[in-house]
């Protein structure tokens, strides 16, 4: 049984002035994320704070928040929560903000991975794809493949995972008419084709 009072209290603690309290509160909210019965309470009490924490000053808090959105994205009810609260708008804005040349840093790799894992689940249909269209998402996903600033600032493991997940999200988005056109406009086929080179050592077959 999901205690709505616990969700309400924990959600309020996500606004605490101490960063560790905010982080642990977000992680506790994430533990409810895969329970369908929790969605109503999460929408009522948690999503406003979660969207704000995507831009928290503390990286551990941001990581915990991105993990919550990933956990939400693994169930149909959680995906509906993300869509109905327009949280995808904040998620993609935050992803772009923290993956641009002037925003990226080594400690942000896991944060970007959690958001990409959520996007991979979110973009299985038009309802989840549409919030990412027209916002520069497709251009940014493809830019990260070979941008020197991303290669230099992220660990090899994180950059590899980000490329793999970005390919998966782009593949999902390309089945949408507007998404396909954005992929064409931003030369996604050209930017991703080098992953198919037989000399490239990493396996991206499942993402292409």
């Amino acid at each position: 049984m999901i205690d709505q009072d616990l969700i309400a209290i924990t959600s309020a603690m996500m606004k605490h002035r101490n960063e560790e309290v905010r982080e642990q509160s977000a992680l506790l909210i994430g533990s409810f994320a895969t329970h369908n019965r929790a969605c109503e309470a999460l929408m009522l009490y948690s999503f406003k704070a979660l969207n704000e924490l995507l831009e928290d000053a503390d990286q551990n808090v941001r990581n915990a928040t991105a993990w919550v959105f990933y956990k939400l994205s693994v169930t149909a009810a959680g995906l509906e929560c993300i869509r109905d609260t327009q949280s995808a708008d904040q998620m993609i804005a935050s992803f772009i903000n923290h993956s641009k040349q002037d925003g990226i840093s080594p400690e942000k790799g896991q944060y970007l991975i959690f958001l990409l894992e959520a996007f991979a689940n979110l973009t299985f249909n038009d309802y989840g794809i549409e919030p990412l269209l027209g916002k520069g998402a497709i251009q940014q996903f493809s830019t990260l493949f070979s941008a020197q600033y991303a290669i230099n600032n992220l660990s090899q493991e994180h950059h590899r995972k980000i490329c793999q997940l970005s390919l998966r999200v782009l593949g999902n988005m390309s089945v949408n008419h507007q998404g396909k056109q954005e992929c064409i406009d931003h030369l996604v086929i050209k930017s991703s084709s080098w992953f198919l080179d037989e000399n490239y050592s990493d396996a991206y077959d499942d993402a292409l």
Side-chain angles (χ1 to χ4, degrees):
M1 181 176 179
I2 303 297
D3 189 329
Q4 290 201 10
D5 289 340
L6 178 57
I7 291 177
I9 292 168
T10 306
S11 297
M13 295 298 285
M14 288 195 291
K15 299 181 180 181
H16 197 278
R17 64 183 179 181
N18 181 276
E19 62 272 12
E20 189 170 355
V21 173
R22 297 195 301 275
E23 177 192 3
Q24 293 302 315
S25 298
L27 292 172
L28 181 54
I29 288 297
S31 70
F32 297 118
T34 55
H35 296 276
N36 290 345
R37 293 181 180 178
C39 284
E40 183 178 351
L42 292 173
M43 289 182 67
L44 184 61
Y45 298 113
S46 306
F47 270 87
K48 185 177 186 298
L50 286 170
N51 284 326
E52 292 172 354
L53 289 186
L54 284 170
E55 290 300 315
D56 194 272
D58 185 84
Q59 185 61 54
N60 289 331
V61 177
R62 293 198 297 271
N63 286 353
T65 306
W67 174 78
V68 175
F69 281 111
Y70 161 63
K71 294 290 286 184
L72 284 162
S73 76
V74 302
T75 68
L79 286 170
E80 288 182 8
C81 286
I82 292 173
R83 296 164 187 159
D84 292 347
T85 57
Q86 289 80 52
S87 295
D89 293 341
Q90 182 60 38
M91 291 164 66
I92 191 57
S94 187
F95 179 90
I96 292 172
N97 183 44
H98 291 284
S99 62
K100 292 188 303 185
Q101 185 167 2
D102 58 355
I104 203 167
S105 58
E107 66 273 13
K108 294 181 179 180
Q110 188 58 61
Y111 174 77
L112 299 175
I113 288 169
F114 281 143
L115 286 179
L116 279 167
E117 287 177 324
F119 293 142
N121 293 329
L122 185 66
T123 54
F124 271 118
N125 55 45
D126 285 341
Y127 192 27
I129 293 170
E130 288 169 359
L132 306 188
L133 297 173
K135 295 182 172 68
I138 286 175
Q139 181 178 16
Q140 186 61 19
F141 293 146
S142 60
T143 294
L144 292 172
F145 293 154
S146 57
Q148 200 61 46
Y149 76 83
I151 295 170
N152 291 342
N153 279 283
L154 297 169
S155 72
Q156 184 178 24
E157 179 183 0
H158 282 164
H159 185 253
R160 183 185 299 118
K161 187 66 174 179
I162 286 168
C163 288
Q164 183 182 39
L165 289 167
S166 293
L167 283 167
R168 187 166 294 140
V169 177
L170 287 166
N172 290 347
M173 295 183 72
S174 68
V175 303
N176 174 278
H177 180 72
Q178 183 180 340
K180 181 182 293 184
Q181 187 60 52
E182 286 192 30
C183 287
I184 293 170
D185 292 344
H186 296 296
L187 305 177
V188 169
I189 292 176
K190 180 179 180 180
S191 62
S192 61
S193 61
W194 70 287
F195 292 116
L196 293 171
D197 192 302
E198 62 181 7
N199 295 318
Y200 192 78
S201 58
D202 290 322
Y204 289 87
D205 296 354
D206 65 331
L208 290 169

